[in-house]
Every structure is written in structure tokens, then in C-alpha cells.
Amino acid sequence: DARVTQTPRDKVTEMGQEVTMRCQPILGHNTVFWYRQTMMQGLELLAYFRNRAPLDDSGMPKDRFSAEMPDATLATLKIQPSEPRDSAVYFCASGLGTSGGAADTQYFGPGTRLTVL
Amino acid sequence: AQSVSQHNHHVILSEAASLELGCNYSYGGTVNLFWYVQYPGQHLQLLLKYFSGDPLVKGIKGFEAEFIKSKFSFNLRKPSVQWSDTAEYFCAVGDGGATNKLIFGTGTLLAVQP
């Protein structure tokens, strides 16, 4: 049963520290999405990749957030420096997108619960 | 810009009651429509999806949804809810492109009382 995996599941850190969250998409999926979930804002799309290339990161605060895909099996979301307002659950999702056609469903990972003190 | 509205933020039902959760979207082009469920403390799971064809879509766990294009709606229904259906339900619209970027509604928290 293929699943999206995320590490760490929980992270507590202090303001100003660097945070790196990792995601392993389902093997064979070529689209990867990062979402943030908070009580106030709900689910927000931060960034997404297709075939490892970033397509849109307009939902992400550029000054402190960065997202990369070093290879097809790993996506990272980094916050430096972290702030208390970054406290949220960060979800990664993957899917299969084909050029010229409708993409498949997105499959979500279990999320990383980030608390910045 | 695309947007998704879920009318009910919090719904409380007794077991065996019928459920209908509203979802409206604004997008002029081809859309893909989804309902996801998030059980307490868990990640989002797909309930059902509509890409094309029969506008009445059957999903898992007895859920269904009907796409009404003229009303820009995709309401979720279940004839008889169970306590285990207690969860948060999210409607989402995808732009139908090769990446299928999703815009989510704000979610509806359903509490089913035994």
C-alpha cells in the first residue's frame, strides 16, 4: 500500500531556529505539493512541483521559506528563521500529472506538526 | 481566481440522521472536484472525486456527491451517518490541468452523537 511519508511527525523548536521538513512522495508520482493547515486559515497551498521543477511557490513567504526537490524521492520544506506564527501542520501530497490531460488525485502524507515557541 | 465555499462550518447530527454538506465553487473552466475527510489527528483522505461523466459520484463509506454545473455545486451526502463519521470534511476544486492544483474550502466539522 503506497503512501506519502513525512518526517518528523512532530517538531517543537524555538523562534529563530531553522526547521526542515521532509516528504517522500509515492513512487512514480511526478507532482508534489506542500500545504499548511491552521485553525485560522484552513488549508493553504504553499508550493508545488512537477517533475521536480517548482511550478508555483506564490503561497509561500519567500523571505523565510524555501522548498526543494533534490531528487524524485525527496521533497523538503525549510523555514529559516522560524517564527511562532509558523506553528501549523504542514502536509505534503503527491499525485500523477500528465501533460495535456487531467491529473490524478492528490495523496496526502500524515503531516508534520510544527510548534515554534 | 478560483474559490470554494463550504456553507456549514460545524454540523452536529445524531446517528442514523441524513447528511448533506454544501460546497460551491467559482471557476469558469473545466474543474475536477473532490471531497476529502480528515479524521481526528489524521491526514486527509480522499472520499470521492468527480472528473467527468455521471454527475452523481459514489465514494467510500457510503458517501456520494452530486455535481450540478448550473449551480456550481458539489454537495456531499450520506443517507445515514455513524459515530465513526465524526471528522472534518473538505471540499476542493482542481483546475483540471496537468498539475491539478487544488483550492480547498474552509472545511466542515461534523460531530455525530451516538
Side-chain angles (χ1 to χ4, degrees):
Chain A
D1 186 21
R3 297 187 181 193
V4 176
T5 58
Q6 289 185 249
T7 56
R9 294 294 304 274
D10 280 281
K11 176 72 176 178
V12 180
T13 191
E14 292 188 345
M15 183 172 63
Q17 296 297 305
E18 177 179 301
V19 175
T20 299
M21 291 169 271
R22 294 176 175 80
C23 167
Q24 183 172 13
I26 292 173
L27 191 64
H29 282 186
N30 63 350
T31 56
V32 173
F33 303 79
W34 282 104
Y35 293 90
R36 175 170 63 184
Q37 186 179 36
T38 61
M39 289 290 291
M40 295 301 295
Q41 301 294 330
L43 270 163
E44 305 172 276
L45 178 65
L46 296 176
Y48 63 97
F49 295 77
R50 182 163 177 266
N51 296 326
R52 294 177 56 200
L55 289 192
D56 187 347
D57 59 2
S58 59
M60 213 162 61
K62 300 288 191 306
D63 56 338
R64 299 183 299 109
F65 284 60
S66 61
E68 296 179 346
M69 279 200 76
D71 60 60
T73 64
L74 177 65
T76 62
L77 180 66
K78 190 175 294 187
I79 308 174
Q80 168 63 20
S82 58
E83 297 180 1
R85 60 181 167 148
D86 300 329
S87 297
V89 180
Y90 291 81
F91 288 103
C92 174
S94 73
L96 186 61
T98 58
S99 58
D104 203 347
T105 305
Q106 291 181 28
Y107 296 86
F108 283 75
T112 294
R113 181 176 297 277
L114 174 66
T115 304
V116 183
L117 303 174
Chain B
Q2 299 171 49
S3 66
V4 179
S5 299
Q6 291 184 242
H7 318 299
N8 316 100
H9 296 293
H10 198 177
V11 173
I12 302 173
L13 294 174
S14 299
E15 276 193 313
S18 65
L19 170 72
E20 180 160 1
L21 300 182
C23 173
N24 286 90
Y25 65 93
S26 65
Y27 184 66
T30 302
V31 291
N32 298 331
L33 295 160
F34 303 81
W35 276 97
Y36 281 85
V37 61
Q38 187 176 28
Y39 297 103
Q42 295 190 26
H43 62 289
L44 280 85
Q45 302 171 43
L46 181 70
L47 265 183
L48 49 78
K49 62 185 178 184
Y50 171 80
F51 278 20
S52 64
D54 189 345
L56 185 61
V57 181
K58 304 275 187 199
I60 60 171
K61 304 186 180 186
F63 286 91
E64 65 178 33
E66 186 175 12
F67 169 54
I68 303 179
K69 189 175 181 180
S70 61
K71 294 185 179 180
F72 296 89
S73 70
F74 189 57
N75 292 354
L76 180 71
R77 299 195 291 250
K78 185 170 183 178
S80 175
V81 294
Q82 301 172 312
W83 177 78
S84 58
D85 294 323
T86 294
E88 191 158 16
Y89 293 80
F90 293 90
C91 181
V93 59
D95 61 10
T99 302
N100 205 24
K101 174 182 170 180
L102 290 182
I103 305 297
F104 282 86
T106 51
T108 297
L109 196 58
L110 171 65
V112 180
Q113 298 174 333

